[in-house]
C-alpha cells in the first residue's frame, strides 16, 4: 500500500515539476542573430558569433553574457533594474568601468574618410577604397570597443535606416562577446530637421519624420505637441539602434545674440519648463506592451537634458565652443530662472520614469557663481555646480556627461572643440580627475580609457584604493541604470525590415508636418494681405547665397543667386511668374540677420582685441551702447581681460536679404509684398517692416507648410517664444541672464512683437495659451 502511494506521489510531483519547469521559450533564427521568445517574459536576442549561449531557470531562457555557465543576478531579466545594475557594477574591473565612462567622438555610418566626423578606415583604407559595406565597423570603432571597453557611441549621419540597423547589429554582436557582455548604448544629437524643399505627401514616408526646430516647437505653445514629438522620435530612434538622445536643449535663451538660441525653447522659464517636461516624458515613456518596468521599455530613449546650469547667458552672445565665448554671466543675479526648466521640468516629470535620466553641463565658466570654493572653471569641472548644487541641493542621481572635448588642449582663441575652460594649466589626466571628483560620470568625445585610468590612480594615491573603487562604482551604477531599462541586455538587435517600416512612416511624417503648420507665426497682415486669393499669380525674387567654405574642408559652396523655395511646390498653390508686373503678389523669402560670432581675427591684425559685436540687424551696426568693460575675461592665450567691443562696427553677412525686400517693394509698387523670414534668433524688424504688407516667421520648416498657411488652407496659430527687439540699443542694454527685458518692436499696425504675440486671420491671438504663459 505504501509503495502504491509513493508511486502516485512521485507521479504527481513529476507533473508539477514538468508543468512548472518545462521549456517556456522558443528560438527563431534571424540570420545574423537569433531571437528567443520567452512565454510571459522578455524576448532575448543574441549572436552565435559572440559565443554567448542560452541558459535556463524554471523553464525560462536567459543569456549567459559572461559565459560562466550559471545565471548571474545581472543576467536575470525578472529582477529589478537596481538589483541587476548593482550586481554588474561590482563585477566590473576598473578598466571596464573606465571604458563605460567614455562617450565616443562623432561617428558617421559609413565613415566618409575625411573631416573630424569621417576619418575612419576599413582595413587601413578609406571607405571608398576598401570595398567594405556601409554597415561595417571601422578600424577605429573596433579598437575603442575592444581595447578601450567603450560602450557609448555618438552617431551622426547614416546612409539609410537599414544601414543604421545593420551597423547596430554588427556592433552589438562584437561587444556581446567581450568581457561581461555589456551592450552598446548608441546616441544621437537631434536629427528630425526638415528638408525645406521636400514635398509632403500624406501617404508617403521618408528617411525620418520632419519637425520644426526647438524654437518652432516652442512657438506652438502646446506641450502636447512636444510630448507627441518625443513619443514618435523615440520609436524612430530605437528602430535606428539609438537609445540615448543628447537632447533636449533646455537652456533658457535670455541672451538674444547667442548662436545656439535656435536649439532652445525660447526665453520664458515657464514655457521652457513645460516643454522640457513634455519632451523628456515623450522620449522616456513606453506604454502598453512596450513597457517593461516603471514606464521604461522597448520604446524608451534616455533623455540627456542640456546644458546645466544654463548656456543661455553667454556674455554678448559669444558661444563657449570657442575660448572667446567661454564665459556665462549673471548681471541680473538671476540663476534661479535658468534652473526652472531643470528642477521644475526635467526633474519633475508627469510620466512614470520620473526624472530625465542623464544631464550635460555646458562648456561655459559660469562666472562668479561659485562662492564656496571660488573656482572660475568650466561647469563640468565645478565641484560647486555638480557635486554641491546638482547632486546635493537638488538630489540628482542620473548620469552626468561632459560636453564633447572638454579635456583637450586649446590651441587658439578661435579654435573649435578644445574647451578645457579654467583647467588649461592641468594635464589631460588631471582634467579627467578633477571632473570625476566634481561628480561627473562620463566624458563626451573621448575614445581613450587611458586618461580615465590615470585619473583613477591619482585618486588612489590621494584617497586610497577603497575610496576610488567606490567612486568608480558609483558612476558605473549610474551608467548601467540607463542601459538596463530599455531591454538592451536582453535584446539589442534590430530587425531591418521593421526598421524600414518604422522610421519616417506616413503617420509619423503627418504628425511632424502638422507640428510644422502649428509653428508658423503671422506677425503682420496689413489690410488682410493674406491669405492669398485663389489662383493668384506670384513673383518670387531670387535670393543671394554668398560663397561658403563649409566646415572642416567640405560642404562649401560658391556664391550664387537662386530661388529660395521649390517652385514646383509653390505652383500647387499659385501661378508663379518671373515678371513682377504680371504678379498679384510678391513672396520674398529671407533669413534672419547672420550677425557673426563676436570675434574677428582681422581685428587683432589691426591692433584690436579681436572682440566685435554680434548684430541682430542687417545694416552696419556700430556698438555705441556696449559696455566699456566686459563683465568677464581672461584666457591663457590673451594678455588682457577686457573683452569690450564698444564703438566697433559689424555688418550682417546676409545684408542682401534686406536689399531684396526693399527692392522688391519698389518693383511691386502698391501690390502686396509678403515677407517670409526663417528665424534663428530675435531680430530687428525696423529695417524693413514698413516695406512688407505681411510678415510670416518660420522656424526651419518645409516650404509646403509655409504655403499651406499663405494660401489660407491652414490658419496661422503660432506665437513668438521670445521678444523681437526694437533696436540694437535695447539688445546691448538688456541683461544676459534676465528673460523678457528688452524694448520690443511696434509695427505700423500698432502691434508689439513681444513674447506670446501672433496673429490669425481675425487679428491678435488671445487664447488660453497666451493667458497661461504671458
Amino acid at each position: 500500500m505504501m509503495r502504491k502511494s509513493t508511486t502516485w506521489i512521485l507521479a504527481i510531483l513529476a507533473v508539477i515539476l514538468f508543468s512548472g519547469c518545462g521549456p517556456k521559450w522558443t528560438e527563431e533564427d534571424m540570420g545574423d542573430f537569433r531571437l528567443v521568445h520567452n512565454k510571459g517574459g522578455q524576448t532575448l536576442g543574441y549572436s552565435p558569433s559572440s559565443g554567448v549561449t542560452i541558459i535556463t531557470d524554471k523553464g525560462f531562457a536567459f543569456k549567459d553574457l559572461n559565459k560562466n555557465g550559471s545565471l548571474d543576478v545581472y543576467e536575470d531579466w525578472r529582477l529589478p533594474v537596481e538589483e541587476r545594475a548593482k550586481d554588474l557594477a561590482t563585477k566590473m574591473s576598473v578598466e571596464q568601468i573606465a571604458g563605460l565612462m567614455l562617450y565616443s567622438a562623432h561617428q558617421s555610418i559609413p565613415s566618409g574618410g575625411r573631416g573630424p566626423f569621417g576619418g575612419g578606415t576599413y582595413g587601413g583604407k578609406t571607405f571608398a577604397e576598401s570595398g567594405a559595406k556601409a554597415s561595417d565597423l571601422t578600424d577605429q570603432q573596433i579598437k575603442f570597443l575592444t581595447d578601450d571597453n567603450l560602450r557609448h557611441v555618438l552617431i551622426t549621419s547614416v546612409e539609410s535606416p537599414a544601414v543604421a540597423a545593420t551597423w547596430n547589429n554588427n556592433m552589438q554582436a562584437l561587444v556581446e562577446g567581450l568581457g561581461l557582455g555589456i551592450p552598446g548604448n548608441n546616441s544621437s544629437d537631434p536629427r528630425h530637421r526638415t528638408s525645406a524643399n521636400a514635398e509632403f505627401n500624406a501617404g508617403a514616408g521618408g528617411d525620418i519624420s520632419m519637425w520644426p526646430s526647438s524654437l518652432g516647437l516652442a512657438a506652438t505653445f502646446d506641450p502636447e505637441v512636444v510630448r507627441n514629438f518625443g513619443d514618435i522620435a523615440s520609436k524612430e530612434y530605437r528602430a535606428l539602434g539609438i537609445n540615448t538622445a543628447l537632447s533636449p536643449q533646455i537652456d533658457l535663451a535670455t541672451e538674444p545674440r547667442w548662436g545656439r538660441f535656435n536649439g532652445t525653447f525660447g526665453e520664458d522659464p515657464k514655457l521652457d519648463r513645460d516643454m522640457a517636461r513634455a519632451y523628456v516624458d515623450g522620449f522616456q515613456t513606453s506604454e502598453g506592451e512596450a513597457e517593461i518596468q516603471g514606464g521604461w521599455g522597448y520604446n524608451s530613449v534616455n533623455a540627456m537634458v542640456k546644458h546645466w546650469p544654463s548656456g543661455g547667458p553667454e556674455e554678448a552672445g559669444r558661444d563657449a565652443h570657442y575660448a572667446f565665448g567661454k564665459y556665462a554671466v549673471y548681471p541680473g543675479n538671476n540663476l534661479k530662472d535658468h534652473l526652472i526648466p531643470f528642477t521644475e521640468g526635467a526633474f519633475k516629470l508627469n510620466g512614470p520614469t520620473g526624472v530625465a535620466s542623464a544631464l550635460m553641463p555646458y562648456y561655459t565658466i559660469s562666472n562668479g557663481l561659485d562662492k564656496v570654493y571660488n573656482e572660475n572653471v568650466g561647469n563640468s569641472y565645478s565641484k560647486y555646480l555638480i557635486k554641491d548644487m546638482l547632486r546635493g541641493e537638488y538630489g540628482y542621481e542620473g548620469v552626468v556627461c561632459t560636453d564633447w572635448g572638454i579635456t583637450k588642449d586649446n590651441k587658439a582663441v578661435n579654435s573649435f572643440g578644445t574647451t578645457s575652460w579654467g583647467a588649461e594649466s592641468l594635464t589631460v589626466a588631471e582634467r579627467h580627475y578633477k571632473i570625476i571628483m566634481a561628480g561627473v560620470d562620463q566624458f563626451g568625445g573621448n575614445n581613450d580609457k587611458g586618461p580615465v585610468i590615470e585619473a583613477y590612480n591619482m585618486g588612489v594615491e590621494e584617497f586610497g584604493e577603497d575610496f576610488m573603487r567606490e567612486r568608480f562604482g558609483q558612476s558605473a551604477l549610474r551608467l548601467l541604470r540607463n542601459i538596463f531599462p530599455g531591454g538592451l541586455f536582453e535584446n539589442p538587435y534590430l530587425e531591418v525590415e521593421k526598421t524600414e517600416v518604422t522610421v519616417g512612416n506616413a503617420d509619423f511624417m503627418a504628425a511632424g508636418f502638422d507640428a510644422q503648420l502649428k509653428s508658423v507665426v503671422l506677425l503682420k497682415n496689413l489690410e488682410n494681405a493674406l491669405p492669398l486669393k485663389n489662383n493668384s499669380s506670384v513673383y518670387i525674387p531670387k535670393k543671394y547665397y554668398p560663397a561658403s567654405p563649409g566646415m572642416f574642408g567640405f560642404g562649401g559652396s560658391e556664391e550664387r543667386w537662386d530661388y529660395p523655395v521649390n517652385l514646383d511646390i509653390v505652383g500647387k498653390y499659385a501661378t508663379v511668374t518671373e515678371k513682377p508686373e504680371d504678379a498679384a503678389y510678391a513672396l520674398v523669402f529671407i533669413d534672419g540677420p547672420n550677425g557673426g560670432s563676436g570675434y574677428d581675427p582681422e581685428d587683432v591684425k589691426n591692433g584690436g582685441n579681436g572682440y566685435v559685436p554680434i548684430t541682430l540687424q542687417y545694416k552696419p551696426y556700430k556698438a555705441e551702447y556696449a559696455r566699456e568693460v566686459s563683465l568677464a575675461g581672461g584666457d591663457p592665450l590673451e594678455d588682457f581681460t577686457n573683452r569690450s567691443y564698444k564703438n566697433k562696427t559689424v555688418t550682417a553677412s546676409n545684408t542682401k536679404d534686406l536689399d531684396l525686400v526693399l527692392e522688391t517693394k519698389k518693383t511691386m509698387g502698391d501690390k502686396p509684398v509678403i515677407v517670409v523670414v526663417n528665424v534663428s534668433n530675435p531680430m530687428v524688424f525696423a529695417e524693413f517692416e514698413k516695406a512688407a504688407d505681411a510678415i510670416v516667421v518660420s522656424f526651419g520648416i518645409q516650404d509646403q507648410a509655409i504655403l499651406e498657411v499663405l494660401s489660407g488652407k491652414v490658419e496661422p496659430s503660432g506665437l513668438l517664444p521670445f521678444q523681437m527687439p526694437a533696436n540694437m540699443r535695447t539688445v546691448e542694454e538688456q541683461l544676459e541672464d534676465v528673460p523678457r527685458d528688452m524694448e520690443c518692436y511696434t509695427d505700423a499696425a500698432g502691434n508689439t512683437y513681444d513674447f506670446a504675440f501672433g496673429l490669425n486671420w481675425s487679428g491678435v491671438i488671445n487664447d488660453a495659451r497666451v493667458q497661461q504663459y504671458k
Side-chain angles (χ1 to χ4, degrees), residues 326-619:
K326 67 198 293 185
Y327 293 102
V329 294
Y330 292 84
N333 194 29
N334 191 38
L335 175 63
K336 62 179 177 62
D337 275 353
H338 291 263
L339 297 181
I340 287 172
F342 294 93
T343 61
E344 298 181 22
F347 297 175
K348 292 183 179 179
L349 304 181
N350 291 331
T353 64
V355 61
S357 63
L359 175 147
M360 182 188 295
Y362 202 42
Y363 297 111
T364 44
I365 295 172
S366 295
N367 192 57
L369 288 188
D370 179 4
K371 307 297 186 184
V372 178
Y373 310 102
N374 294 312
E375 284 193 309
N376 235 20
V377 292
N379 296 328
S380 287
Y381 290 96
S382 174
K383 182 180 178 181
Y384 170 71
L385 290 175
I386 306 301
K387 189 173 184 179
D388 293 6
M389 182 186 290
L390 178 65
R391 300 286 196 200
E393 183 177 352
Y394 293 106
Y396 184 74
E397 275 302 311
V399 167
V400 176
C401 177
T402 74
D403 215 326
W404 262 235
I406 75 163
T407 58
K408 296 179 180 178
D409 291 321
N410 187 36
K411 299 172 183 176
V413 176
N414 61 339
S415 66
F416 177 85
T418 52
T419 51
S420 54
W421 309 145
E424 293 94 340
S425 63
L426 303 181
T427 66
V428 172
E430 287 170 341
R431 291 170 191 155
H432 282 76
Y433 181 48
K434 185 172 181 60
I435 290 167
I436 290 168
M437 299 312 292
V440 175
D441 304 300
Q442 200 165 30
F443 299 93
N446 182 4
N447 300 348
D448 180 9
K449 72 176 187 292
V452 184
I453 294 173
E454 285 187 70
Y456 178 85
N457 292 332
M458 290 176 185
V460 170
E461 186 174 341
E462 184 173 359
F463 296 105
E465 185 88 39
D466 290 346
F467 176 90
M468 279 311 286
R469 176 68 209 198
E470 182 181 352
R471 174 63 191 88
F472 264 46
Q474 193 177 44
S475 285
L477 179 59
R478 291 178 185 137
L479 290 159
L480 291 170
R481 284 181 185 140
N482 286 4
I483 304 177
F484 276 106
L488 290 181
F489 274 87
E490 280 58 67
N491 181 24
Y493 296 95
L494 300 171
E495 298 175 54
V496 175
E497 297 78 10
K498 288 186 178 180
T499 291
E500 290 182 311
V501 299
T502 298
V503 179
N505 69 50
D507 290 341
F508 293 174
M509 295 293 284
F513 191 72
D514 185 61
Q516 293 180 52
L517 297 173
K518 292 177 179 178
S519 74
V520 177
V521 180
L522 179 62
L523 287 186
K524 182 179 180 181
N525 195 20
L526 194 64
E527 296 181 1
N528 296 319
L530 289 175
L532 303 175
K533 292 182 173 58
N534 290 335
N535 302 315
S536 296
S537 57
V538 297
Y539 165 65
I540 301 175
K542 289 184 176 181
K543 184 179 183 298
Y544 175 71
Y545 295 89
S548 170
M551 292 185 67
F552 313 113
F554 60 98
S557 60
E558 296 181 354
E559 69 171 350
R560 71 190 194 282
W561 287 89
D562 202 355
Y563 287 109
V565 290
N566 185 332
L567 296 187
D568 290 336
I569 290 177
V570 179
K572 297 179 183 295
Y573 297 86
T575 301
V576 180
T577 176
E578 294 184 1
K579 298 180 179 180
E581 60 270 22
D582 294 339
Y585 300 86
L587 305 182
V588 187
F589 292 83
I590 61 174
D591 294 313
N594 184 349
S597 67
Y599 188 84
D600 185 0
E602 290 298 316
D603 184 65
V604 177
K605 293 179 182 178
N606 295 326
N609 63 1
Y611 293 86
V612 295
I614 296 174
T615 182
L616 300 180
Q617 66 181 40
Y618 296 102
K619 292 179 181 178

Side-chain angles (χ1 to χ4, degrees), residues 22 52 57 67 76 91 103 232 237 329 366 552 582 634 675 677:
V52 166
D57 181 71
K67 308 177 189 68
D76 190 342
K91 287 178 166 63
Y103 225 127
I232 288 172
Y237 273 28
V329 294
S366 295
F552 313 113
D582 294 339
V675 178
V677 194

